[in-house]
Amino acid sequence: MLSTAIIQSFLYVGIIISLGGLILASRLSKTYLAFLGLCIADIGYVCIGLSIPNDSAYIGSIALMSFNAVARLAALIALIRMAKVSRALKLPLAGIAKELPYSSVVFALALFSAIEISPFFTPDAKHHILYGAILLGDPLHISSYGIAVLVTLINIAKLVMTLFIVHSLFQGNSYSHKTENAWNDFKTSPLLLHLFFAVLVIFGLGSHEFIHYLTTTYAQNTFSQQFPDFTLTWKTETLILYMGAALVLAGGFILPSLRKPLAFVIAAVSFIFAALDHSGSALSYFFAVLSGFMAMIITLYSFGYIKHNETSYYALLLLMFASILGLLTSENSGSFFVFWEIMTLSSYVLVAFDDTPKAHYAAKKYFLMSGIGAVIMLPALLMLQLHNAQELYALLTAKEAINVFLYVCLIALFIGFGVKAGVFPFHSWLPDAHPAAPSSVSAPLSGILTKTGLYGMLFFFSTFLGFGLLQNSLVCPFFKLPSIGVVLILLGIITMFYGEIKAYQAIEIKRLFAYSTIGQIGEICMTLGVFSYLATTGALFHIFNHAVMKDLIFLCTGVFILRSGFTKIEDLKGLGKVMPFTASCMVIGLLSILGLPPLAGFNSKFIMLLGLAEYSPYLAALMLLASFIGCVYYTRIIRILVFEKYTGPQVADATPAMKAALGALAFLCVLFGIYPELVLNTLIAPVTDLIADKGGFNLSGQGLDLVSLTTVTWKSPALIIVLGAVLPVILRKNPMQSGIASVFVLGFASVALLVTMGQYDTLSCIFALGITVIGATTACYSIGYLEHNHAQWRYYASFLCMCGGLVGVATSSNLFSFFFFWEIMSSWTLYFVIIHEETRESLWEGFKYFLFNMIGAGFLFLGVILTVHWLGTADFAEMKNSFTQLDAGKVTVLFALLTIGFLMKAAQLPFRIDVQMHPATAPTPVSGYISSVLLKSALFGLAKLFLVFGGISLFAEHINLAYLSEISLYIGAVTIVMAASFAVLQSDIKLVLIYSTVSQLGYMVVGISLGTSLGVAGGILHLVNHLFFKDLLFLVAGVIIAQTHIYSMDKMGGLGLKMPKTLALFAIGAVCVIGLPPSNGFTSKWIIYHALMEQGYVLPAILSLIGSVLTLAYMTKFLHSVFLGQVKPSMETVHEAPKTMLIPMALLSLGCIVTSVFPGFVLLAINKILLSAGLQPLDVAPWGINSGKGAWNATLTAILFFIVWYIGQKVLRKFSKQERQTAIYTCGIPAENFAPSTSQDIYSTKILFGTENK
Amino acid sequence: MQDNYSYLAFLGVAVFNLLIFPGGLFALGLGVLFKGLDRKIEARLQRRVGPPVIQPLIDIVKLSGKEAMIPETAQRPLFQSAPLLGFVGMAVCASLLPIPGVSQGLPYMGDMLVYFYLLQLPAVALMIAGSSSSSPFGTLGFSREMTLMFAYEIPLLMIILAIAMKVGGDNFAEFSLMNIINYQEQNGQFITNWVMLPAFFAYLFFLPGTTGVPPFDIPEAETEIVEGPLLEYSGISLAFFQLTGAIKSIVVLGFGVVVFFPMTLGDNILVNILWFALKCFILMLVSCTFVKSATGRFRIEQAFGFYLKIPALLAAISLILVWLDF
């Protein structure tokens, strides 16, 4: 043995030589001789290795010396050949790879092998030396790891130089324009090159045996203690893919037509093995199944996508997936790291696959960042390999300050994984690499590769170290950081916002999705940082879903780009129209990533938010805020792709193979949306349990039965409608039939509702019945209204889904289900229906509506999440009990959030800002439906949750609620007058009705907010009445628009002559909305006034009464300007509406009349609701309210009216037997000379609002 | 309410109220009579002889024998039913009016809010009449009526709320006319209560507006827009408008009497009926007859401004005083 002094001196010599070599290399970096510098550096490296007095480093040094000698020689031979061809060793040699592909590849492989990144593996010399260096160190003295740090730094330097040397060969084509076949190059290469290449490969593949040989021969000590186990883990699925890659490469040369099916079969078989192989941990299994599946899908998709270099593409793709599966199933950190490096290498080549300057730049950046990250991570991995977790903690707890050591270790790991995952500040490769890579590579980059980073974190932080131990022992002395979780959360938040904001600004579609991936990773990271049972479940689920969704999105984007040749979002306008299949899949993916049900993203987002809320509601709020940004740009993409006008040439849709891949992913999105248990139970729960087993885990939420928490109650009516939504799609060739089918579906649902009536409470039943019945009439009306319209099937299908969502809301028996349907009803379905006309205005209004609605839903979401979290249950039946135990503050927060959410939905001041809740540009039947039914869902929700939480007893227990409801009462009252005033000012017939709805909703809000028997009864009664009369009025407006194609009152006049039936129907609706006795509108408003005055709310009472005067004003104005007055010349050709439109209207007016004359029938049902709320029921009879405040006999009044009317009519008839038609009297001036009146002539508007003072 | 009446008997009473007393014949008769008296007194005040007191009745009889003329461009169904609409509303309104010391009105029906809504009907009828006649003057009348209605409804609303809260007491409200009468029997008439006096004056201003007499006859201004909405009406239809006006005057006057000075004279029904009629007459003299014989006509925006300034302010004073529990 050499003396210690000599060994010491070896170290310094080694350092000097290495530095010299590296400096030389950098000085020569303009020529390929730079690689000679690397050779010298290797010598220094070996010296350093030898200076470390233990077996590991010794063996490592020998291995390095021998292997690198071969590798460098191989590289030299290749270089000489290239130099011969190019006659220069100087740059630019760029692009020589095109002429000498084989030699260049050998050169590259040799150089990469020398830094131990090789698909054929290498003896793990670097590992061994570093391991030896770490063995030297003492965890208690961080300074004792100097050599390890040194070695790491040298590794980084080598990596950087190697990359620059190698990459320039492949980049650009400044050297030669000749493109050669690899086979030709192979044939003409010297034998020596082949030989060295073969040795390199054999050496690599046999590296394990080589190391084994070295250890048995040269090891001096008993190395069982000191010697690391770096055995590669070869699971069957990994092996299949790895061998498969070689097979495809070989097969591609022999029989090119075989490579595609071969690649697919290999991927499929590997997936099957991965799915059947339960030998690893649950965590590995989870990720392996996901990756294996994606390998299959991506291969399938690539059939249609990749057009050049197919052989190498498929080989590399399979190699990449092999390495991913390899690292996911690795059993030691050595194996993990080796596969990790192969993954980086193969994906790096794939990123550069398109061979554009952009791609090369992105690939270099990617490789550098990932590679450096990995090198930094390596010592930490070895550290963990050296000491198992328990030992490490035992060491560390001996001395507190040592926590710094663990921190350094963890930060090193975090850098390595963070780079891959794309966590800020290590993300910057991602937005370059994703757009530059072929889409079929961007998809796994985004969907799978980023997830391996997360896998690493989960594996090492959670299952290897055990998060509990980690958390307890990690109190940073400097920053008082309580746990690494906080770091994760903070970085997660930054990453999330960074990603979302950058995505929002992005112009290129793939760059946008790359940033959105960063955003999503941020969300996951942040959730992982909470480290509770629920949060982890949510994060894992989202990892899974994000892989599916993002792959789907990237693959669809790939098809769009492939077909159109454009990458900018704006250039893809309307492309979806000519590629319906891809567009549908894309929309599914986007909606899913938006977190909208019934798609996968919603479920995982819900659980994540639940987990976050458990830790801090603010985090949940932040995440909702970030997803709101997401909403903006995702919706923009949907709009541009699907709803804008298409102007480009006709292009084909995706190829069948692509369609199969896209279809499968889209199907999964839907499947996991509807049936999340499938993943939760089989894949995720075992992982979470595994992590939980590692102790110290915040177990709250483990008791929660997640499956029951996320159960959607599919009651038969909702199911019928949602399934029925398929019918219009099937019948899309015949619009009439699809319309009729929709009517039948809704009618059938009404019947189902009546049959299963017993299952629901009265409130739900009334509301659900309103939804289906009014829905059926609206659908029937639409048949006439949309007669010559486009894409009617889309309209009917969305409309049905929307109705299904509404019925679902009404019939849900748990909060999750309630919100699930709520989001279906108020998000995409409604958006699609609103923008049906696809005009510029409707798109813009629909977009505004969508965003506005999302904000409202955000509040609601937070409210729902907190409710579930604080009450510990989502089941309505169980909520009441737990609610009584909540403290006042929480109750206030809950109610504030829910009320804000609901009031926004109901478009109440100050939440309405504009008429967003209710775009006038929607097809009129939809406007009617929104007004009469959809916006009521807010009030329904308010009432329902109020009942669920315990009804009136809440007010007694929580004084704050009284203030809250008082605020909403005043909001409602002010809204009545404000909106009614706006209505008076409008001249667009739909806007009048829209503002009118907002105003009428104010009455309902006022009534329900009162919380007294009379108030609630009045509010609900008005809700039911409004269902009928407002829908009727909208349908009338629709008839007018359909027949005249005019929206402005100013251009109408005298329509009553042309459309007498419509006028009659309008009159009924108008009387009701004004509330002239004995109409139904009067009865309900009457009750509300009495309820208000009963409680002494004078101001709201005055406001609501003024509101009714204003209602009279705008309705008479409507009547006058549209139906009466002189007939405008442009109105001469107008005809009465067709029967399909008149019949639904007649039915609605019948509903108006019945509820007018016999309000008691509805009131009887309302009484049941009052009872269940703990309120005193009213004394009700069929004709109205019998006694007490608000007593009213509508039937008698109606009879009195009828008697007088009858007598009056008789008298009129009797005395006007003689009739004469005359011209109107105009004081002798010809009638034409009178300027036609417009609604603007009406003094009231001018005087009331000061526009003129004549 | 079914304690005292069987349904049928109740219906019978209601029909009686509607057709005979206090609505129907009684109100019509009284209204026509008042109209005649009004014209006679106005004429005398202006030093004219004036028509006989029964002239309005003569007019109606004469009109009912005339040929009905309908403009070719009119909206026939609405044009023909507009006169009825107002009439029906007022007839029902009259039937719900309790006469102090005579009849109770229908239980739970005679409510100020019902009046608030039903009183809009004649105005709405006039608007529809004007609008459906397709005459440009009708259109002008329509917009004027709408504006005017909005103007006088606001003070009325506040008057009603002031009364309701005064009677309800303690932040509650009572809208039932019968209960208002009972309250005043116990606590003195509102006309003698300084808190309610501003509301009463506001009501005095409300009356000419709602009955459409000068200076508020703007929608039908004969000399300006040739009767506006009524221009194209003739024969029995026009008669119905006059009948509506007659009943309406009784309804609004009676309403004023009931809510401000409902005191009875003993228990004799006949005496009380006459007493009620007399009070109505006095109210009419003060608020309409004297005013209209002395004034010209407002322009519409003057009327609008006037109502939202003086009567609204007066009513608001009462409302605030009541609210503050004076």
Side-chain angles (χ1 to χ4, degrees), chain A residues 1134-1161:
Chain A
V1134 176
H1135 300 290
E1136 182 61 275
K1139 278 210 182 70
T1140 43
M1141 298 168 98
L1142 283 175
I1143 290 171
M1145 286 155 69
L1147 285 176
L1148 287 172
S1149 66
L1150 193 69
C1152 286
I1153 293 169
V1154 171
T1155 47
S1156 292
V1157 180
F1158 300 106
F1161 292 133

Short mmCIF file of all heavy atoms in Angstrom, two decimals, chain A residues 1134-1161:
data_model
loop_
_atom_site.label_atom_id
_atom_site.label_comp_id
_atom_site.label_asym_id
_atom_site.label_seq_id
_atom_site.Cartn_x
_atom_site.Cartn_y
_atom_site.Cartn_z
N VAL A 1134 -94.61 40.72 -42.38
CA VAL A 1134 -94.43 39.79 -41.27
C VAL A 1134 -95.64 38.87 -41.11
O VAL A 1134 -96.78 39.29 -41.34
CB VAL A 1134 -94.18 40.57 -39.97
CG1 VAL A 1134 -94.11 39.64 -38.80
CG2 VAL A 1134 -92.92 41.39 -40.11
N HIS A 1135 -95.37 37.62 -40.75
CA HIS A 1135 -96.48 36.67 -40.56
C HIS A 1135 -96.52 36.19 -39.12
O HIS A 1135 -95.57 36.34 -38.38
CB HIS A 1135 -96.30 35.45 -41.47
CG HIS A 1135 -96.27 35.82 -42.91
ND1 HIS A 1135 -97.39 36.26 -43.58
CD2 HIS A 1135 -95.25 35.83 -43.80
CE1 HIS A 1135 -97.07 36.54 -44.83
NE2 HIS A 1135 -95.77 36.28 -44.99
N GLU A 1136 -97.64 35.57 -38.81
CA GLU A 1136 -97.78 34.93 -37.49
C GLU A 1136 -96.78 33.78 -37.38
O GLU A 1136 -96.35 33.21 -38.39
CB GLU A 1136 -99.23 34.43 -37.35
CG GLU A 1136 -99.56 33.80 -36.01
CD GLU A 1136 -99.38 34.77 -34.86
OE1 GLU A 1136 -98.24 34.89 -34.38
OE2 GLU A 1136 -100.37 35.41 -34.44
N ALA A 1137 -96.40 33.45 -36.14
CA ALA A 1137 -95.41 32.40 -35.90
C ALA A 1137 -95.98 31.02 -36.24
O ALA A 1137 -97.20 30.83 -36.25
CB ALA A 1137 -95.00 32.41 -34.45
N PRO A 1138 -95.08 30.05 -36.57
CA PRO A 1138 -95.56 28.69 -36.85
C PRO A 1138 -96.06 27.99 -35.58
O PRO A 1138 -95.78 28.44 -34.46
CB PRO A 1138 -94.31 27.99 -37.39
CG PRO A 1138 -93.18 28.75 -36.83
CD PRO A 1138 -93.64 30.16 -36.72
N LYS A 1139 -96.76 26.89 -35.79
CA LYS A 1139 -97.38 26.20 -34.66
C LYS A 1139 -96.38 25.68 -33.65
O LYS A 1139 -96.63 25.71 -32.45
CB LYS A 1139 -98.22 25.03 -35.19
CG LYS A 1139 -99.59 25.44 -35.68
CD LYS A 1139 -100.58 24.29 -35.49
CE LYS A 1139 -101.96 24.66 -36.01
NZ LYS A 1139 -102.02 24.76 -37.48
N THR A 1140 -95.23 25.19 -34.16
CA THR A 1140 -94.24 24.63 -33.21
C THR A 1140 -93.82 25.68 -32.19
O THR A 1140 -93.36 25.35 -31.12
CB THR A 1140 -92.98 24.15 -33.95
OG1 THR A 1140 -92.62 25.12 -34.91
CG2 THR A 1140 -93.20 22.81 -34.58
N MET A 1141 -93.95 26.95 -32.56
CA MET A 1141 -93.59 27.98 -31.61
C MET A 1141 -94.79 28.42 -30.79
O MET A 1141 -94.67 28.73 -29.61
CB MET A 1141 -92.98 29.17 -32.35
CG MET A 1141 -91.70 28.81 -33.09
SD MET A 1141 -91.17 30.08 -34.22
CE MET A 1141 -89.95 30.90 -33.25
N LEU A 1142 -95.94 28.45 -31.43
CA LEU A 1142 -97.12 28.93 -30.71
C LEU A 1142 -97.58 27.96 -29.64
O LEU A 1142 -98.01 28.37 -28.56
CB LEU A 1142 -98.27 29.18 -31.70
CG LEU A 1142 -98.15 30.47 -32.52
CD1 LEU A 1142 -99.27 30.55 -33.53
CD2 LEU A 1142 -98.17 31.68 -31.60
N ILE A 1143 -97.48 26.66 -29.92
CA ILE A 1143 -98.00 25.69 -28.95
C ILE A 1143 -97.23 25.75 -27.62
O ILE A 1143 -97.85 25.84 -26.57
CB ILE A 1143 -97.99 24.27 -29.55
CG1 ILE A 1143 -99.06 24.20 -30.63
CG2 ILE A 1143 -98.26 23.21 -28.49
CD1 ILE A 1143 -99.02 22.94 -31.46
N PRO A 1144 -95.89 25.74 -27.65
CA PRO A 1144 -95.22 25.87 -26.36
C PRO A 1144 -95.59 27.14 -25.64
O PRO A 1144 -95.75 27.15 -24.40
CB PRO A 1144 -93.74 25.90 -26.74
CG PRO A 1144 -93.64 25.36 -28.09
CD PRO A 1144 -94.94 25.59 -28.76
N MET A 1145 -95.76 28.21 -26.40
CA MET A 1145 -96.13 29.47 -25.76
C MET A 1145 -97.51 29.37 -25.14
O MET A 1145 -97.76 29.86 -24.04
CB MET A 1145 -96.07 30.60 -26.78
CG MET A 1145 -94.66 31.02 -27.14
SD MET A 1145 -94.56 31.77 -28.76
CE MET A 1145 -95.40 33.29 -28.45
N ALA A 1146 -98.42 28.74 -25.89
CA ALA A 1146 -99.77 28.59 -25.36
C ALA A 1146 -99.75 27.78 -24.07
O ALA A 1146 -100.44 28.10 -23.10
CB ALA A 1146 -100.66 27.92 -26.39
N LEU A 1147 -98.93 26.73 -24.06
CA LEU A 1147 -98.83 25.91 -22.85
C LEU A 1147 -98.34 26.75 -21.68
O LEU A 1147 -98.87 26.68 -20.57
CB LEU A 1147 -97.87 24.74 -23.09
CG LEU A 1147 -98.41 23.61 -23.94
CD1 LEU A 1147 -97.34 22.58 -24.20
CD2 LEU A 1147 -99.62 22.98 -23.25
N LEU A 1148 -97.33 27.56 -21.93
CA LEU A 1148 -96.80 28.40 -20.86
C LEU A 1148 -97.85 29.38 -20.37
O LEU A 1148 -97.99 29.61 -19.16
CB LEU A 1148 -95.56 29.15 -21.35
CG LEU A 1148 -94.32 28.30 -21.53
CD1 LEU A 1148 -93.23 29.10 -22.21
CD2 LEU A 1148 -93.84 27.82 -20.17
N SER A 1149 -98.61 29.94 -21.32
CA SER A 1149 -99.60 30.91 -20.88
C SER A 1149 -100.70 30.21 -20.09
O SER A 1149 -101.24 30.78 -19.13
CB SER A 1149 -100.19 31.65 -22.07
OG SER A 1149 -100.91 30.75 -22.86
N LEU A 1150 -100.96 28.98 -20.46
CA LEU A 1150 -101.92 28.20 -19.66
C LEU A 1150 -101.39 28.05 -18.24
O LEU A 1150 -102.12 28.21 -17.25
CB LEU A 1150 -102.11 26.82 -20.31
CG LEU A 1150 -103.29 26.04 -19.77
CD1 LEU A 1150 -104.59 26.71 -20.19
CD2 LEU A 1150 -103.25 24.61 -20.27
N GLY A 1151 -100.10 27.75 -18.14
CA GLY A 1151 -99.48 27.66 -16.82
C GLY A 1151 -99.65 28.95 -16.06
O GLY A 1151 -99.99 28.96 -14.87
N CYS A 1152 -99.47 30.07 -16.74
CA CYS A 1152 -99.64 31.38 -16.11
C CYS A 1152 -101.05 31.51 -15.56
O CYS A 1152 -101.27 31.95 -14.43
CB CYS A 1152 -99.40 32.50 -17.11
SG CYS A 1152 -97.69 32.75 -17.52
N ILE A 1153 -102.01 31.14 -16.40
CA ILE A 1153 -103.41 31.35 -16.00
C ILE A 1153 -103.76 30.47 -14.80
O ILE A 1153 -104.36 30.93 -13.83
CB ILE A 1153 -104.34 31.07 -17.19
CG1 ILE A 1153 -104.11 32.15 -18.26
CG2 ILE A 1153 -105.79 31.05 -16.76
CD1 ILE A 1153 -104.75 31.86 -19.58
N VAL A 1154 -103.33 29.21 -14.89
CA VAL A 1154 -103.66 28.30 -13.78
C VAL A 1154 -103.04 28.79 -12.48
O VAL A 1154 -103.70 28.88 -11.45
CB VAL A 1154 -103.20 26.87 -14.11
CG1 VAL A 1154 -103.34 25.98 -12.88
CG2 VAL A 1154 -104.00 26.31 -15.26
N THR A 1155 -101.77 29.16 -12.52
CA THR A 1155 -101.14 29.62 -11.28
C THR A 1155 -101.71 30.96 -10.85
O THR A 1155 -101.63 31.32 -9.68
CB THR A 1155 -99.61 29.75 -11.44
OG1 THR A 1155 -99.34 30.44 -12.64
CG2 THR A 1155 -98.94 28.40 -11.46
N SER A 1156 -102.27 31.70 -11.77
CA SER A 1156 -102.88 32.97 -11.38
C SER A 1156 -104.16 32.73 -10.60
O SER A 1156 -104.36 33.31 -9.54
CB SER A 1156 -103.21 33.80 -12.62
OG SER A 1156 -102.04 34.23 -13.24
N VAL A 1157 -105.00 31.88 -11.16
CA VAL A 1157 -106.32 31.70 -10.56
C VAL A 1157 -106.23 30.83 -9.30
O VAL A 1157 -106.92 31.06 -8.33
CB VAL A 1157 -107.29 31.09 -11.59
CG1 VAL A 1157 -108.66 30.89 -10.97
CG2 VAL A 1157 -107.39 31.99 -12.80
N PHE A 1158 -105.34 29.85 -9.34
CA PHE A 1158 -105.23 28.97 -8.17
C PHE A 1158 -103.80 28.96 -7.64
O PHE A 1158 -103.08 27.96 -7.77
CB PHE A 1158 -105.65 27.55 -8.52
CG PHE A 1158 -107.06 27.45 -9.01
CD1 PHE A 1158 -107.34 27.23 -10.34
CD2 PHE A 1158 -108.11 27.61 -8.12
CE1 PHE A 1158 -108.64 27.15 -10.79
CE2 PHE A 1158 -109.43 27.52 -8.57
CZ PHE A 1158 -109.69 27.29 -9.90
N PRO A 1159 -103.37 30.03 -7.04
CA PRO A 1159 -101.99 30.06 -6.52
C PRO A 1159 -101.80 29.07 -5.38
O PRO A 1159 -100.69 28.67 -5.07
CB PRO A 1159 -101.83 31.50 -6.02
CG PRO A 1159 -103.21 31.96 -5.72
CD PRO A 1159 -104.11 31.26 -6.70
N GLY A 1160 -102.93 28.65 -4.82
CA GLY A 1160 -102.85 27.77 -3.66
C GLY A 1160 -102.18 26.45 -3.92
O GLY A 1160 -101.53 25.89 -3.04
N PHE A 1161 -102.28 25.95 -5.15
CA PHE A 1161 -101.67 24.64 -5.41
C PHE A 1161 -100.16 24.70 -5.23
O PHE A 1161 -99.56 23.82 -4.62
CB PHE A 1161 -102.03 24.17 -6.82
CG PHE A 1161 -103.48 23.85 -6.96
CD1 PHE A 1161 -104.23 24.30 -8.03
CD2 PHE A 1161 -104.10 23.08 -5.98
CE1 PHE A 1161 -105.58 23.99 -8.14
CE2 PHE A 1161 -105.45 22.76 -6.09
CZ PHE A 1161 -106.19 23.23 -7.17
#
